[in-house]
Amino acid sequence: MTSPFVARLGITHPLIQAPMSGSTTPALVAAVSNAGGLGSMGAGYLEPQAILEQAAQVRALSDRPFAINLFVLPETFDVDEVAIASARKHLDDLMEREGLAVRTVRPARWAPSFADQFAALCEARPAVASFAFDLLTPAQVRQLKQLDITLIGTATTVDEAHAWAELGADAVSLQSAEAGGHRGSFLHEPEQALIGLFALLPLAVRALDIPVIAAGGIMNGRGILAAEVLGAAASQLGTAFLACPECGAAEAWKRDLPKAAEHQVGTIRSFSGRAARGLRNTYVEAMRPYEASLPAYPVTNALTSPLRRAAAAAGRGDLLSEWCGQGVGMVRAMPAGELVKVLMDEYAQARKALA
Ligand SMILES: Cc1cc2nc3c(=O)[nH]c(=O)nc-3n(C[C@H](O)[C@H](O)[C@H](O)COP(=O)(O)O)c2cc1C
């Protein structure tokens, strides 16, 4: 039952392991690709050299297709010194109150250069490249096509999906409200572009003539089949892979995930300056009064980076950015290759039951 899109990607299953910046590892990506899905490297936070190294590590573990994903960002950012000073004070005060011996520092750069990351991606030449946060330029799209790299754009509304289709994307990853991690919105305020998958997916499928990938809250094979019934060419699962041993998420985060209930999952701006879905823990509640005034992404993201590293090292999940989607209660801790097999067995059984 391989869809033309899945066949084009050269994979066996209609299953994409979502790129998860800071959490995907070459071992995770390779395990998913070796099991017949499409593994994706979340490279948004990586410097160009690290992108090349990780791609080489994936290739040492797998000869199957895989994806590299980047956040499309400008080369320079608005820097409001007053807002930065105020954010640092609130963050440092919180660390002191919580007994964590770490303070914010002003980094040399707020984020890696997107132009350099893009050049590294082209050099690594994965089968698939996916992008979030904004559109590419037409010249960048041409470059990917010349290299025969399949292009997937991320959209959170039908308008955004249209924009990617017009630009020449080969497929759109449709990120619904349920999805874990950062919102990929670029034409609308992320907090306003929170559309559930059951509404968003058929709307986008009706409007587009390129394949649509369903992303958000899909945690089992039945979900993958449901997305297919609604018109998806494949499903992209992030949270489902977070508790896998190959995943690079902090141990405290992995421990907290299976205990989390859907009502504890919210849209959070205070870790990075951009809306993202995750667990509302101690940090989130403490920073809530300042959330709206924190500098926009990537400035707050860079300021909290050492704090999040220290929280992970101290096993303090309550102070970490514990990103996850609304389906988190269904997360399963098992090797990624095994999880792909379980998901696809469930998918086959659900299909049979409905036949
Ligand atoms: C921890 C985490 C990190 C993520 N990082 C990225 C990323 O770097 N790039 C991206 O395009 N999407 C990222 N996402 C969003 C996923 O691509 C996808 O939309 C989402 O995981 C789907 O929802 P689910 O988590 O409910 O499966 C991330 C999601 C999670 C959970």
Side-chain angles (χ1 to χ4, degrees):
M1 296 302 290
T2 310
S3 77
F5 176 66
V6 167
R8 174 186 171 167
L9 291 185
I11 59 176
T12 313
H13 307 305
L15 170 62
I16 299 174
Q17 162 257 308
M20 295 187 281
S21 287
S23 297
T24 51
T25 61
L28 176 67
V29 175
V32 172
S33 287
N34 283 337
L38 183 76
S40 314
M41 225 172 94
Y45 302 148
L46 298 182
E47 291 294 342
Q49 190 54 35
I51 294 175
L52 293 171
E53 284 164 12
Q54 287 208 8
Q57 286 165 20
V58 174
R59 287 201 166 100
L61 297 168
S62 173
D63 59 0
R64 308 295 306 144
F66 67 98
I68 298 182
N69 171 275
L70 293 176
F71 296 137
V72 183
L73 291 173
E75 293 298 317
T76 56
F77 310 97
D78 287 341
V79 176
D80 175 342
E81 294 298 342
V82 176
I84 290 173
S86 156
R88 292 186 65 180
K89 179 171 185 333
H90 296 313
L91 291 165
D92 290 345
D93 286 352
L94 175 59
M95 292 301 115
E96 184 161 5
R97 277 203 308 280
E98 291 296 328
L100 229 57
V102 60
R103 298 294 177 264
T104 54
V105 284
R106 199 191 167 94
R109 256 192 324 169
W110 297 111
S113 150
F114 176 70
D116 293 348
Q117 287 179 315
F118 186 82
L121 180 148
C122 290
E123 191 180 332
R125 207 172 171 180
V128 180
S130 62
F131 298 89
F133 291 8
D134 209 346
L135 297 170
L136 295 177
T137 64
Q140 287 165 335
V141 172
R142 275 196 301 278
Q143 209 174 332
L144 294 175
K145 290 199 185 292
Q146 275 159 11
L147 292 168
D148 203 22
I149 297 173
T150 298
L151 165 60
I152 300 176
T154 302
T156 63
T157 62
V158 176
D159 285 350
E160 290 175 353
H162 251 306
W164 272 112
E166 273 176 28
L167 191 61
D170 298 297
V172 170
S173 172
L174 202 62
Q175 191 189 39
S176 66
E178 298 93 327
H182 280 101
R183 305 294 307 155
S185 309
F186 56 94
L187 291 179
H188 313 279
E189 287 304 318
E191 291 84 351
Q192 278 154 23
L194 289 167
I195 326 293
L197 193 63
F198 256 70
L200 186 58
L201 183 52
L203 283 169
V205 168
R206 186 182 65 177
L208 299 185
D209 53 13
I210 58 171
V212 174
I213 298 158
I218 303 172
M219 299 295 289
N220 57 30
R222 273 179 182 268
I224 297 171
L225 181 63
E228 187 176 297
V229 170
L230 290 176
S235 289
Q236 179 163 315
L237 283 64
T239 303
F241 287 95
L242 274 175
C244 293
E246 299 93 336
C247 178
E251 289 307 316
W253 177 6
K254 287 186 180 182
R255 269 198 309 275
D256 287 345
L257 288 174
K259 295 181 273 176
E262 61 285 359
H263 65 270
Q264 295 165 321
V265 178
T267 315
I268 300 158
R269 194 179 173 276
S270 53
F271 282 111
S272 69
R274 185 180 174 103
R277 192 172 289 293
L279 292 185
R280 283 194 297 253
N281 56 17
T282 305
Y283 173 101
V284 176
E285 295 307 334
M287 289 302 290
R288 194 194 289 277
Y290 320 113
E291 198 165 24
S293 62
L294 293 171
Y297 190 96
V299 173
T300 295
N301 193 60
L303 290 176
T304 64
S305 171
L307 314 189
R308 287 178 282 127
R309 264 201 309 276
R316 293 287 304 270
D318 60 331
L319 298 175
L320 264 181
S321 46
E322 296 180 301
W323 306 134
C324 61
Q326 291 175 335
V328 62
M330 289 181 271
V331 74
R332 292 174 276 200
M334 60 171 76
E338 240 172 78
L339 180 57
V340 171
K341 185 174 178 330
V342 168
L343 288 166
M344 296 323 299
D345 284 350
E346 290 170 348
Y347 166 87
Q349 275 166 24
R351 182 183 267 289
K352 217 155 91 195
L354 288 181

